[in-house]
Each structure stands twice: as structure tokens, then as C-alpha cells.
Amino acid sequence: MSWTLVIHGGCGAMRPANLSPEVEERSRAGLDNALDAGRAILAEGGSAIDAVEAAARVLEDDPCFNAGRGSVLTADGHVELDAAIMDGRDRNAGAVAGLRTTRSPIRAARAAMERSPHILLTYDQADVFAREQGLEQVDNDYFITPERKAQLDKVLAAGGNFDADIKYGTIGAVAADSQGHVAAATSTGGLTAKRWGRVGDSPLIGAGTYADDRACAVSATGLGEAFIRAVGGHQLAMRMLLSGESLQAALDAVLADVGALGGTGGLIAVAPSGEAAWGFTTPGMYRAMASGNGERHVAVYDEVTER
Ligand code: ASP
């Protein structure tokens, strides 16, 4: 059976007219690097769970994306990081929310899955857990870039409201390995100017992240509040499992449901067969896929513009 890896770096108002060539080039290069990291594992017969973690770690370290370094800032100017990982073999999962010092939230999520009796760990105690697990700790400043500071100032000046040009930069990876198992990983700084310990969909199993060998693996980006209400990831899998919808039809239906709740966003998904799908209701989505059949695509804009 052939393997498949699909990744995203968030969705938003990306159009050739409003994305500088430098940013576009750096973002495409970042997606390429993440594909390489996951591909190296899958092409050697490695597991989907290892591949999605490896791809997510590359994107977390890349300041182009809203995860790890380069994450968006809370209203009081900090970075608080959320992440989740899920293994479709046994539906085991781990998640963290509100991390402030753990360099790789996806590694912390994996540690929560494998080395704690719990699923979701939050805030300073989640950082304590990660430190106890030997995961690298950094100052919160490590995550902050000048671009994100400027973005926070702009949002605060607008009264905390997002402008129409918002780019959700959450990162995610889904994979099907050559044994036919699927896994999903999502990592994010959440929304700019978030307050009151806000947690989005990304670390919530079934909302922004879900994996189930009986159906598919899913990772979301977009307005987290809408994906939580739609239980987007789980809804997608259950549409396939219980209603027999195809992967793409189920994905499109979830995006329509999120839209009906007032949210825009994007989804990537992969089935155990290796079939891949993606979709988004914003002008663009940073996305890429590779497979054991030699396919490889990196894209930012809608399919027509990409051609
Ligand atoms: N879905 C993320 C959240 O609401 C944001 C994003 O996709 O960038 O936290």
C-alpha cells in the first residue's frame, strides 16, 4: 500500500495581489521542508504518527506559520500555544493548551499521549509536564516575531476585531502509512489578541484534530469557535463511517456546516487507502501533499490561480 502525507500552514485571504513574493517563497519553502521531513519517515515504511509529528515540528520552528516560533500574540502580548496529535490505529490522543515555554507543542502533545494517563494538559502545568519529560524549554520571547507584534497592534487598534485580510496560520499534518494507518497533528498559537485563556479547536480532539483508521485523519484551520461547535474533525469521520460519504464529499459538507455557523476555514484529510482531500472557504490555504506514487504539490492560492 502506498503512503500519503498532506500538510497545511493555515488558510486566509492570500491572493497574489496581497502576498509579497518573499513571503510566498518562504512559505512554499517551509511547506516543502515539512513534506521532506514526513516523507523521509513514510518512504522508509515508518508510521503515520511519526510522520505527522516530524512534519509539524518543522512547521512549528518556521516563523512563517502561526505555530511555535512566529505564533500570534494574546491581547497582553504573550504567546500561548495549543497542539494535538491523534493515532488512528487505536484512537489514542494527546493534547496541550496554553503552553508558554515548551518549544515544540506537538512533542508535548505526543508525550501527553504516550507518557501520561491523560489526554489534554493545560497552561503552566502542561509546561511543567513537558519540562519533566525532558522537552526543550525557552523564554516566551523566543516565539515572538516583529511581524506578529505589528499584527497584534493592528488588531488592538481596531478594537480587537480581525480585519478582512486575516490569515489563519495554524499548521497541521495528516498521513496514511504503508500499513494503512492514519494519524493527525495540529499546532497553533490560536487567534491574535485572544483573551481569558481562550482555547481554540486545534487541541480539542474531534474539533480541529481527529484520526480514526475506520474513516480518516483530519486537521483544521480557521475560526476555531465554529469548528468546535461543528465538531468538524469528528463530523467528517462520522459522515464517512456512518453515512458512507466519500472523503471529499464529507470534507466539503463539514466546511459548509462551519460556514453555516459563521466560520471560514480549511481542512486537510486522508483515508487509510491513501486517498487525500483538502478544501477551504477562504481565498487561499497554505497546503502541500506527497505520496509514495510520486505525487507532490505545494499550493497557496485557489486551484485556478495555481494553474
Ligand atoms: N483554528 C485556529 C484557532 O482557532 C486558528 C487558525 O487556524 O489559525 O485557534
Side-chain angles (χ1 to χ4, degrees):
M1 192 179 278
S2 170
W3 56 268
T4 305
L5 174 67
V6 187
I7 61 176
H8 72 77
C11 63
M14 291 87 79
R15 293 188 179 89
N18 64 13
L19 198 62
S20 77
E22 299 76 46
V23 173
E24 180 182 336
E25 201 178 300
R26 278 196 280 130
S27 305
R28 286 183 190 265
L31 292 168
D32 243 338
N33 292 337
L35 272 188
D36 285 343
R39 182 189 185 287
I41 291 167
L42 292 165
E44 294 297 313
S47 67
I49 192 83
D50 285 342
V52 294
E53 182 192 341
R57 284 176 62 181
V58 170
L59 295 169
E60 283 181 338
D61 280 347
D62 189 327
C64 285
F65 305 103
N66 173 21
R69 194 161 123 65
S71 283
V72 301
L73 305 187
T74 62
D76 66 1
H78 288 95
V79 165
E80 289 182 357
L81 303 159
D82 304 338
I85 193 162
M86 187 164 185
D87 191 332
R89 284 177 292 200
D90 50 7
R91 282 180 280 160
N92 203 1
V96 287
L99 294 180
R100 283 195 178 198
T101 60
T102 302
R103 175 172 171 176
S104 172
I106 204 66
R107 287 195 72 193
R110 177 117 189 224
M113 175 171 90
E114 291 176 346
R115 294 185 247 148
S116 92
H118 309 303
I119 301 292
L120 174 59
L121 307 178
T122 65
Y123 294 92
D124 47 344
Q125 289 301 303
D127 281 316
V128 169
F129 167 78
R131 186 162 59 242
E132 286 173 3
Q133 295 302 316
L135 301 187
E136 184 180 348
Q137 302 294 301
V138 293
D139 283 342
N140 199 253
D141 283 351
Y142 160 81
F143 298 111
I144 299 176
T145 61
E147 291 80 10
R148 295 302 190 189
K149 269 195 167 148
Q151 192 178 42
L152 175 65
D153 291 344
K154 196 172 162 194
V155 171
L156 290 179
N161 293 322
F162 302 104
D163 58 30
D165 289 340
I166 185 149
K167 294 181 192 67
Y168 297 106
T170 289
I171 67 93
V174 294
D177 61 30
S178 47
Q179 284 79 48
H181 300 301
V182 295
T186 312
S187 185
T188 187
L191 297 184
T192 303
K194 65 184 180 179
R195 298 168 71 186
W196 307 301
R198 182 262 188 194
V199 173
D201 59 314
S202 310
L204 300 185
I205 299 304
T209 307
Y210 195 69
D212 185 338
D213 270 6
R214 299 172 303 171
C216 62
V218 190
S219 174
T221 170
L223 183 64
E225 281 68 10
F227 280 91
I228 292 170
R229 291 164 64 207
V231 201
H234 188 255
Q235 183 187 150
L236 202 165
M238 291 308 111
R239 281 177 174 276
M240 294 178 71
L241 188 62
L242 303 177
S243 304
E245 290 180 20
S246 72
L247 185 72
Q248 189 71 55
L251 186 151
D252 293 342
V254 171
L255 286 177
D257 191 34
V258 166
L261 297 175
T264 56
L267 287 164
I268 56 171
V270 68
S273 63
E275 182 188 355
W278 60 39
F280 45 98
T281 54
T282 48
M285 178 164 81
Y286 295 112
R287 60 201 187 279
M289 71 88 67
S291 79
N293 297 330
E295 293 163 287
R296 191 169 172 118
H297 309 289
V298 176
V300 177
Y301 307 117
D302 63 68
E303 307 294 342
V304 177
T305 312
E306 286 290 333
R307 251 178 252 133

mmCIF file of all heavy atoms in Angstrom, residues 78 116 151 199 222 230 240 280:
data_model
loop_
_atom_site.group_PDB
_atom_site.id
_atom_site.type_symbol
_atom_site.label_atom_id
_atom_site.label_comp_id
_atom_site.label_asym_id
_atom_site.label_seq_id
_atom_site.Cartn_x
_atom_site.Cartn_y
_atom_site.Cartn_z
ATOM 1 N N HIS A 78 1.586 37.991 24.946
ATOM 2 C CA HIS A 78 2.300 36.727 25.113
ATOM 3 C C HIS A 78 1.942 35.761 23.986
ATOM 4 O O HIS A 78 1.006 36.005 23.221
ATOM 5 C CB HIS A 78 1.910 36.072 26.441
ATOM 6 C CG HIS A 78 2.462 36.755 27.629
ATOM 7 N ND1 HIS A 78 1.762 37.690 28.349
ATOM 8 C CD2 HIS A 78 3.671 36.646 28.223
ATOM 9 C CE1 HIS A 78 2.506 38.140 29.333
ATOM 10 N NE2 HIS A 78 3.670 37.524 29.283
ATOM 11 N N SER A 116 1.545 9.997 29.704
ATOM 12 C CA SER A 116 0.675 10.437 30.797
ATOM 13 C C SER A 116 -0.625 9.647 30.709
ATOM 14 O O SER A 116 -0.966 9.144 29.628
ATOM 15 C CB SER A 116 0.378 11.944 30.700
ATOM 16 O OG SER A 116 -0.817 12.161 29.965
ATOM 17 N N GLN A 151 1.081 42.863 13.987
ATOM 18 C CA GLN A 151 -0.275 42.349 13.738
ATOM 19 C C GLN A 151 -1.157 42.541 14.975
ATOM 20 O O GLN A 151 -2.317 42.940 14.863
ATOM 21 C CB GLN A 151 -0.167 40.859 13.401
ATOM 22 C CG GLN A 151 -1.416 40.243 12.847
ATOM 23 C CD GLN A 151 -1.182 38.766 12.508
ATOM 24 O OE1 GLN A 151 -0.552 38.027 13.257
ATOM 25 N NE2 GLN A 151 -1.675 38.350 11.372
ATOM 26 N N VAL A 199 -9.037 28.891 24.306
ATOM 27 C CA VAL A 199 -8.501 27.707 23.633
ATOM 28 C C VAL A 199 -9.336 27.475 22.375
ATOM 29 O O VAL A 199 -10.565 27.565 22.419
ATOM 30 C CB VAL A 199 -8.575 26.468 24.559
ATOM 31 C CG1 VAL A 199 -8.174 25.205 23.804
ATOM 32 C CG2 VAL A 199 -7.682 26.670 25.785
ATOM 33 N N GLY A 222 -8.756 27.721 10.705
ATOM 34 C CA GLY A 222 -9.863 28.644 10.503
ATOM 35 C C GLY A 222 -10.397 29.128 11.836
ATOM 36 O O GLY A 222 -9.708 29.033 12.864
ATOM 37 N N ALA A 230 -19.108 22.817 15.371
ATOM 38 C CA ALA A 230 -19.447 21.825 14.338
ATOM 39 C C ALA A 230 -18.835 20.452 14.651
ATOM 40 O O ALA A 230 -19.165 19.467 13.997
ATOM 41 C CB ALA A 230 -18.950 22.297 12.975
ATOM 42 N N MET A 240 -18.274 9.752 6.902
ATOM 43 C CA MET A 240 -17.759 8.635 6.103
ATOM 44 C C MET A 240 -18.192 7.298 6.698
ATOM 45 O O MET A 240 -18.674 6.418 6.002
ATOM 46 C CB MET A 240 -16.234 8.700 6.052
ATOM 47 C CG MET A 240 -15.706 9.894 5.307
ATOM 48 S SD MET A 240 -13.916 9.931 5.343
ATOM 49 C CE MET A 240 -13.517 8.555 4.248
ATOM 50 N N PHE A 280 -11.132 24.633 1.305
ATOM 51 C CA PHE A 280 -11.095 25.840 2.135
ATOM 52 C C PHE A 280 -12.117 26.831 1.626
ATOM 53 O O PHE A 280 -12.457 26.836 0.442
ATOM 54 C CB PHE A 280 -9.691 26.461 2.161
ATOM 55 C CG PHE A 280 -9.010 26.556 0.826
ATOM 56 C CD1 PHE A 280 -9.022 27.737 0.103
ATOM 57 C CD2 PHE A 280 -8.362 25.453 0.289
ATOM 58 C CE1 PHE A 280 -8.397 27.822 -1.145
ATOM 59 C CE2 PHE A 280 -7.739 25.520 -0.966
ATOM 60 C CZ PHE A 280 -7.754 26.700 -1.675
#
